[in-house]
DNA sequence: GGGGTAAGTTCTCTTTCGGAACCTGTCAAT
DNA sequence: ATTGACAGGTTCCGAAAGAGAACTTACCCC
């Protein structure tokens, strides 16, 4: 399994990571979900080098996760927005946030947590099967070859 | 934000990625969930170099995601198993698999999908709030500073 | 003693990353 | 008309990380 050929793997974990498995990529996605759309703003907020940021944005656009829209001509300027495919990454971000809050301690206060936009109350995510509503755990669900 | 100091960030995305944000790490975790416990077996299945694999296993053990247990003396041999903290990564793996199956196409057949261990039927994961059961979407939930 | 197994380590070479400076096109102020 | 600022990159160089293969250690069996 070579990193450069990961996207052709049959394993969905490998294919997924070929898009978002990079060191910085999910942090760029986080910025997009927070509404950050411009190059310089992302660069300042993340502390990523401009070179690497330009490369990641190019790749994410090529993979259909971000869309590059012009917001002015003269000089021509673009902003980056999540596509539907990019918005579909939300559950990954949410489960990652929950895992880190439960398992990677920090002294930083106040902590950043998940909140309902409506009620402003904290959210604790849980995975269930869409069809049956049964909870999904590592004991109840596994990944296998489907016929 | 420096990569080497990510674990002290207040943002849970950054802290989470400081543990699992590496190119190979989630693939190692996948192997663990599939029951692979030994160095050589992981190395052969992943095609990762031995050097990098040894490094990742060391880091994952240091982070408390994997436990290194001796399964024989003379010569001393260890195997790697998920800790509770490691098992807690299951939702991230599941959402990643689902996203990739829906959004990163492959010609490979048969495809690897999520199945219930009981019923052998396919599963489609969905995130809900543990307390209210309300679905979690990027419109309904956001991450904010908690007081 | 030769070969096999398991878990690494060491070596060299190539790729990627970090950091800083530079470039381009436009506007606004001096 | 020049200078400076802004936005979104690109270029350059040295440092760090990764790939690939060989080597090491400690045991067993033949």
């Amino acid at each position: 399994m070579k990193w450069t050929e990961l996207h052709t793997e049959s394993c969905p974990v490998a294919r997924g990571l070929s898009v978002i498995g990079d060191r910085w990529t999910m942090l760029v996605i986080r910025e997009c979900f927070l509404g950050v759309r411009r190059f310089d703003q992302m660069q300042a907020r993340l502390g990523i080098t401009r070179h690497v940021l330009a490369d990641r944005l190019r790749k994410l656009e090529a993979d259909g996760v971000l869309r590059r829209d012009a917001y002015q001509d003269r000089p021509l300027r673009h902003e980056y927005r999540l596509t539907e495919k990019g918005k579909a990454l939300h559950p990954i971000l949410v489960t990652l946030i929950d895992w880190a809050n439960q398992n990677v301690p920090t002294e930083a206060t106040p902590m950043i947590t998940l909140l309902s936009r409506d009620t402003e109350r904290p959210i604790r995510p849980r995975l269930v099967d869409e069809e049956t509503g049964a909870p999904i755990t590592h004991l109840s669900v596994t990944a296998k070859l489907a016929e």
Side-chain angles (χ1 to χ4, degrees), chain A:
Chain A
M1 194 183 311
K2 295 214 177 82
W3 184 257
T4 51
E5 298 156 14
L6 226 50
H7 53 100
T8 63
E9 285 284 324
S10 66
C11 173
V13 179
R15 278 180 288 124
L17 291 174
S18 75
V19 179
I20 59 159
D22 184 83
R23 272 187 171 79
W24 286 104
T25 301
M26 280 306 284
L27 289 167
V28 173
I29 301 288
R30 177 195 72 180
E31 293 303 304
C32 292
F33 273 110
L34 291 174
V36 176
R37 300 197 176 89
R38 308 227 174 139
F39 189 94
D40 276 21
Q41 207 180 348
M42 287 189 191
Q43 198 269 321
R45 289 172 52 97
L46 290 172
I48 188 175
T49 64
R50 308 177 71 78
H51 180 75
V52 173
L53 177 58
D55 181 72
R56 293 304 175 276
L57 290 171
R58 249 193 307 270
K59 282 179 181 162
L60 286 171
E61 193 201 353
D63 286 329
V65 172
L66 298 181
R67 191 176 40 233
R68 194 156 160 272
D69 290 339
Y71 66 90
Q72 69 171 36
D73 307 332
R74 336 213 4 241
L76 189 56
R77 292 283 180 267
H78 297 93
E79 60 185 12
Y80 298 89
R81 288 165 177 269
L82 291 164
T83 61
E84 288 307 309
K85 187 169 167 178
K87 289 176 188 167
L89 288 167
H90 192 255
I92 299 180
L93 209 54
V94 166
T95 49
L96 174 62
I97 289 170
D98 188 59
W99 182 81
N101 276 339
Q102 301 293 319
N103 293 282
V104 189
T106 178
E107 297 85 47
T109 53
M111 230 170 64
I112 295 170
T113 55
L114 296 165
L115 295 180
S116 160
R117 278 198 216 268
D118 279 356
T119 65
E120 298 274 320
R121 293 185 53 200
I123 289 278
R124 192 71 209 284
R126 181 189 178 125
L127 273 181
V128 299
D129 178 18
E130 187 165 57
E131 199 183 341
T132 66
I136 293 177
T137 72
H138 72 281
L139 298 174
S140 71
V141 168
T142 187
K144 287 209 184 124
L145 292 175
E147 353 39 76

